[in-house]
Amino acid sequence: MNTEVVYLDEQALDDHMIRRAAEIIRADGTVVFPTETVYGLGANALSEKAVEAIFAAKGRPSDNPLIVHISHLDMLVYLIGEPLSDKARLLIQRFWPGPLTLIFKKSGKVPSSVTAGLDTVAVRMPDNPAALELIRASGLPIAAPSANISGKPSPTLPEHVVSDLQGRVDMILCSTKSRIGLESTVLDLSGSIPVILRPGGVTYEELAEVLGEVRIDKGLLDAHCTPKSPGMKYTHYAPDADMVIVKGSINSVQEKIQALAASKASEGLSVGVLASDETAGYYKNVNVLSLGSRKNYAVIASNVFEKLREFDIIGVDVIYAEAYDEQGMGLAVMNRMKKAAGFNMIEVQP
Ligand code: AMP
Ligand code: MG
């Protein structure tokens, strides 16, 4: 397949390019577009054929449902077939457009391939001018998972998308680095109490402030429980190297990682350390990458996928990653790192 790769300036959108991309969407083709979370691989959410092309391009298991992206609340009412609840209204007012995906009971208008046969549909309004213009110009809700080959770290830079999907999609709209850098929070509103199925760009604390009561799906906290969100059960975000997370007080974490790294290096293996600005200078004779300062978890979050992909390019055999507190954005950061590491985690005592 010939892939048209186009560079966009989000501050001064090229109408011609957006119209061209919208035509592809209307003709059941696939277009990768920037969002504030990660790049998305989009197609007409109302067409079985278009949705099947998404699954094929990514190599995504067909039992993992897609998030439908909208530009206007009328599209949401069409997808769910009933007026919005008070809770949904409050959340939408506060967090849309933004990195919060809401799950509702679906109407008959949503093809079952989008929802992987579930009777619920996941919807969000992205906070990115190119994404919103593309949805508006096509006049259709756009189903869009992250624009990576299934299992790989999600793409936060255009080069990640090009390397994974060139030749597999019709068009790639390239822009800057994704501002948030982790996917949306998925919140299930289909039951009586809202449940977080995937932590992401909107934190538990922010949701609790608006909703009062909000739960976190048990499957997210306990590696032995099956998660309620189908996508959360798959190996995900995995770098090529084996990855181990080390958790504990920061000094003991540094000492443990340096000792483990030295032992692997003595076996002739190439070692990567996923550190922070405060700790990066400590490590010797290893490939160190910093996620940013521990004082700013938003920055740490925005760099996780990029640094995991950098280790693939360097070609390390094993990655040791420092853990973060599971509060605020730290919950989503640790969720992605644990999945990238296949839940391989060591806890060190001070
Ligand atoms: P991605 O498209 O890669 O950002 O992944 C979308 C996430 O949303 C996956 O974890 C899906 O399993 C989840 N998801 C989408 N639709 C639903 C739904 N109807 N019920 C539960 N989880 C969903
Ligand atoms: Mg994904």
Side-chain angles (χ1 to χ4, degrees):
M1 180 188 287
N2 182 38
T3 302
E4 202 175 328
V5 179
V6 172
Y7 284 81
L8 280 181
D9 176 356
E10 279 174 24
Q11 306 312 316
L13 285 177
D14 178 340
D15 286 347
H16 171 75
M17 278 309 159
I18 296 289
R19 275 204 305 276
R20 167 106 201 84
E23 274 164 27
I24 294 174
I25 296 285
R26 293 193 67 80
D28 283 351
T30 45
V31 176
V32 174
F33 59 95
T35 83
E36 82 282 25
T37 57
V38 302
Y39 277 76
L41 195 186
N44 178 2
L46 302 180
S47 156
E48 290 276 357
K49 182 172 162 234
V51 168
E52 274 160 24
I54 294 178
F55 283 94
K58 276 184 66 99
R60 181 174 173 112
S62 61
D63 67 347
N64 189 3
L66 306 177
I67 295 171
V68 180
H69 292 66
I70 60 169
S71 59
H72 197 280
L73 289 188
D74 289 350
M75 285 182 178
L76 175 58
V77 174
Y78 181 84
L79 294 167
I80 68 178
E82 58 180 43
L84 296 175
S85 67
D86 291 345
K87 273 185 198 136
R89 273 186 195 289
L90 276 175
L91 291 164
I92 287 169
Q93 230 168 37
R94 168 82 194 272
F95 298 109
W96 280 12
L100 178 66
T101 294
L102 299 175
I103 295 194
F104 303 92
K105 288 262 182 280
K106 79 180 183 90
S107 75
K109 304 288 197 310
V110 186
S112 66
S113 52
V114 171
T115 63
L118 298 176
D119 62 355
T120 52
V121 60
V123 187
R124 104 176 173 97
M125 189 184 288
D127 186 15
N128 176 287
L132 288 172
E133 271 312 307
L134 174 61
I135 302 165
R136 273 187 210 120
S138 63
L140 290 166
I142 296 184
S146 49
N148 52 285
I149 295 285
S150 230
K152 285 218 186 199
S154 302
T156 57
L157 283 166
E159 52 265 38
H160 300 161
V161 177
V162 171
S163 124
D164 276 19
L165 294 179
Q166 189 157 36
R168 303 175 74 99
V169 294
D170 294 302
M171 191 177 203
I172 300 176
L173 299 175
C174 300
S175 178
T176 51
K177 176 169 165 166
S178 311
R179 179 164 56 80
I180 293 180
L182 288 185
E183 297 89 343
S184 58
T185 300
V186 176
L187 183 72
D188 187 354
L189 289 184
S190 67
S192 54
I193 298 168
V195 184
I196 295 176
L197 303 186
R198 174 177 75 181
V202 170
T203 63
Y204 166 83
E205 292 83 349
E206 288 172 309
L207 291 173
E209 202 184 296
V210 172
L211 292 170
E213 189 171 17
V214 54
R215 295 198 181 141
I216 302 182
D217 180 29
K218 273 211 224 56
L220 289 180
L221 304 172
D222 179 350
H224 304 293
C225 253
T226 305
K228 197 171 168 231
S229 176
M232 301 304 281
K233 69 175 186 276
Y234 289 106
T235 310
H236 246 99
Y237 321 120
D240 296 336
D242 290 334
M243 179 165 156
V244 182
I245 300 171
V246 182
K247 182 177 169 180
S249 74
I250 200 64
N251 289 339
S252 42
V253 164
Q254 284 177 306
E255 282 168 24
K256 183 71 179 178
I257 288 181
Q258 186 61 56
L260 289 166
S263 142
K264 289 288 176 191
S266 73
E267 293 169 28
L269 296 174
S270 165
V271 180
V273 175
L274 194 53
S276 51
D277 287 355
E278 286 82 359
T279 59
Y282 174 88
Y283 300 103
K284 303 282 172 286
N285 306 322
V286 288
N287 298 284
V288 187
L289 295 178
S290 172
L291 289 175
S293 169
R294 289 181 163 270
K295 296 193 187 98
N296 191 342
Y297 273 27
V299 172
I300 301 274
S302 72
N303 288 323
V304 169
F305 290 136
E306 185 183 347
K307 297 302 164 191
L308 289 178
R309 280 185 182 252
E310 264 180 62
F311 278 127
D312 283 352
I313 293 166
I314 296 170
V316 298
D317 300 302
V318 52
I319 300 168
Y320 293 109
E322 299 170 354
Y324 293 87
D325 293 334
E326 292 184 66
Q327 277 168 13
M329 281 296 278
L331 185 65
V333 167
M334 284 299 289
N335 170 266
R336 304 307 188 274
M337 295 219 306
K338 282 182 198 170
K339 289 173 72 71
F343 292 91
N344 208 346
M345 187 145 80
I346 298 173
E347 204 160 341
V348 284
Q349 301 308 322

